[in-house]
Amino acid sequence: MNDRVVIVAGLIVFLALVTSPFWYSAVAGSGAPLPELEKPTDGSHCIEAAEWMKANHMELLNGWRDDVVRGDGQKQTYRSKDYPEDAPYEKSLTKGCLKCHTMESKSNGKRSCAQCHDYANVQPRCMDCHLEPKGN
Amino acid sequence: MDENRRSFLKKAGCSAVGLGCGLPLLGAGCSALREGLADAGASSSQWAMIVDAEKCLQEDVRRACVEACNRAHNVPEIPDPKQQVDWIWSEPYEHVFPDQAHAHTEAAMKAAPILVLCNHCTNPPCVKVCPTAATWKRRSDGVVMMDMHRCIGCRYCMAACPYGARSFNWRDPRDYIEKDEAGNFASDFPARSKGVVEKCSFCAERIRTGDLPACVEAASRMPGGEGALTFGRLGDPQISEILNEKRTICRRVGLGTGPNVFYIV
């Protein structure tokens, strides 16, 4: 029974160590910095509202991929729901998205896909094969 | 009626056996008939290519075709022949038409290089064996497509293709793709990854927008290469006229794959 003090002290030290990340961030304050995105200055916009794109771009791109690769032999286009007056967009990562969002494999540009993907710790495999378009 | 219990049971048993054997046979017969009708011939919307073997005897015409394809699709040029990736390439006449060549084949054609590519068969054996449907025959225009996202690299299709038209990426192809001084690839076409099978797609990305395949365009730009390769739908007059008027042959027709690349020899 003389070990009680030692055991309790050990438990306290153990709990303090295990919970230290929470204490540390509570005391030190800031977490990882949010990625800062450069907004377009020419008044242009993404094909849908930014909020919707943030949440759904991965499903949208998966759908586009299936339509283009596995659809019929026609040109595949997409009509914006948020901006119905826009001309139809060609379903293409390289010819569409990457005109504004530069690629993550090479570019460290301000609007690269990688900034948010790094922050969210997701590793999409698109860039294993798809290439950065040349100087458009 | 002198039908007793014994004879009734006999007849009922015979009928049950007959039905049990007959119905599956009938079903198989019907589906075979349906398939036979579907395979009776490629539809008029099927893309097809006609290769004029004589015009392709010029080396610069063949090289222009192959280089245009390699550039358009970022096809790697791997020195090891066992790992080489080809979409369109040249093979000696005897290998391309083993059932045509004989001991007294005309001198001009003996060992002559012939351009070969995927035949986009009407009845493609590669499609039948693919366990993931990563390769399929597109209904709208008959192109035998590849989905690199879905290919698991089992290489069944390579074993099934009697024309050797498919290549496997034994390694990451990027190191072997032609680049310019700035380190950019020749085109925006996605490179492939290690472990997938690839082949000619009849330039699916180009015909989608109304362009001709890269090889056809390159051949027509070469002096003497006009008409070396003709591309169109089977129903188009430019294709059907050549097929009607000239004598064309296909590779290994006896296999029943129904190739859609035709050769004027």
Side-chain angles (χ1 to χ4, degrees):
Chain A
M1 281 296 124
N2 291 337
D3 293 342
R4 176 178 285 175
V5 177
V6 181
I7 290 171
V8 169
L11 276 176
I12 288 170
V13 169
F14 172 75
L15 282 176
L17 277 177
V18 164
T19 54
S20 61
F22 300 100
W23 296 116
Y24 179 78
S25 59
V27 173
S30 66
L34 272 171
E36 268 178 53
L37 298 183
E38 182 190 297
K39 300 249 162 49
T41 50
D42 56 356
S44 63
H45 54 73
C46 200
I47 60 167
E48 301 283 6
E51 282 309 311
W52 190 89
M53 286 305 287
K54 271 182 203 164
N56 297 297
H57 65 281
M58 53 302 263
E59 279 90 359
L60 182 82
L61 286 173
N62 267 351
W64 281 18
R65 178 191 72 185
D66 292 345
D67 293 345
V68 172
V69 178
R70 305 196 74 92
D72 64 11
Q74 305 301 312
K75 195 171 172 177
Q76 304 285 333
T77 54
Y78 176 80
R79 221 166 226 300
S80 173
K81 287 189 256 315
D82 290 338
Y83 307 104
E85 67 280 6
D86 284 5
Y89 294 95
E90 184 178 353
K91 290 182 180 174
S92 169
L93 182 73
T94 326
K95 292 182 213 156
C97 314
L98 294 175
K99 280 186 180 162
C100 303
H101 302 271
T102 47
M103 190 83 84
E104 61 188 339
S105 58
K106 298 176 189 168
S107 157
N108 293 312
K110 277 255 169 153
R111 268 181 275 162
S112 83
C113 313
Q115 275 189 304
C116 290
H117 290 164
D118 286 348
Y119 177 76
N121 194 22
V122 291
Q123 286 110 21
R125 286 164 46 223
C126 316
M127 304 318 153
D128 292 357
C129 294
H130 289 266
L131 309 169
E132 185 160 17
K134 302 179 298 296
N136 49 39
Chain B
M1 298 294 276
D2 53 352
E3 183 120 62
N4 58 20
R5 180 186 171 84
R6 184 182 168 81
S7 68
F8 170 77
L9 282 177
K10 263 189 195 165
K11 281 180 195 160
C14 285
S15 313
V17 169
L19 270 180
C21 297
L23 279 181
L25 279 179
L26 198 68
C30 283
S31 66
L33 197 67
R34 227 182 6 251
E35 248 180 54
L37 287 177
D39 292 346
S43 71
S44 60
S45 62
Q46 164 80 47
W47 289 112
M49 189 181 286
I50 302 177
V51 180
D52 190 326
E54 210 166 301
K55 286 182 181 160
C56 289
L57 286 178
Q58 301 175 64
E59 205 204 330
D60 50 352
V61 172
R62 291 197 314 277
R63 192 173 340 111
C65 296
V66 175
E67 281 178 359
C69 176
N70 288 355
R71 274 198 304 277
H73 305 110
N74 290 321
V75 177
E77 293 192 35
I78 302 173
D80 181 356
K82 283 184 179 167
Q83 303 192 352
Q84 180 59 40
V85 174
D86 289 307
W87 286 34
I88 178 169
W89 72 103
S90 299
E91 287 272 356
Y93 177 82
E94 287 84 348
H95 293 179
V96 180
F97 302 109
D99 40 7
Q100 297 281 331
H102 50 80
H104 304 285
T105 298
E106 61 195 286
M109 276 299 153
K110 209 167 226 175
I114 306 284
L115 274 182
V116 291
L117 64 158
C118 171
N119 282 291
H120 295 274
C121 302
T122 304
N123 187 19
C126 53
V127 167
K128 284 192 180 165
V129 297
C130 182
T132 60
T135 189
W136 72 101
K137 188 158 180 73
R138 193 155 70 185
R139 281 177 182 212
S140 57
D141 57 7
V143 174
V144 175
M145 295 286 294
M146 268 299 298
D147 186 348
M148 304 298 177
H149 306 100
R150 208 187 262 206
C151 176
I152 55 169
C154 71
R155 296 183 286 139
Y156 280 9
C157 55
M158 293 175 68
C161 176
Y163 308 105
R166 290 169 167 270
S167 307
F168 185 64
N169 283 283
W170 290 97
R171 51 170 73 223
D172 185 351
R174 289 193 172 212
D175 301 338
Y176 297 90
I177 298 174
E178 187 189 321
K179 296 177 197 75
D180 61 14
E181 302 81 41
N184 290 319
F185 292 138
S187 89
D188 291 342
F189 196 81
R192 274 70 65 193
S193 58
K194 182 181 174 181
V196 295
V197 171
E198 62 184 75
K199 69 169 194 79
C200 158
S201 64
F202 263 177
C203 280
E205 80 287 359
R206 292 172 61 95
I207 55 180
R208 189 191 298 284
T209 52
D211 291 328
L212 283 171
C215 56
V216 180
E217 203 177 89
S220 65
R221 286 212 189 111
M222 296 299 291
E226 299 88 3
L229 301 179
T230 315
F231 184 80
R233 293 183 193 266
L234 279 180
D236 289 349
Q238 50 160 353
I239 291 289
S240 57
E241 269 170 27
I242 297 180
L243 290 178
N244 275 334
E245 288 163 12
K246 301 224 166 138
R247 190 173 164 271
T248 52
I249 57 173
C250 287
R251 297 179 68 190
R252 306 185 70 179
V253 278
L255 297 175
T257 54
N260 285 300
V261 175
F262 303 90
Y263 291 86
I264 307 172
V265 180

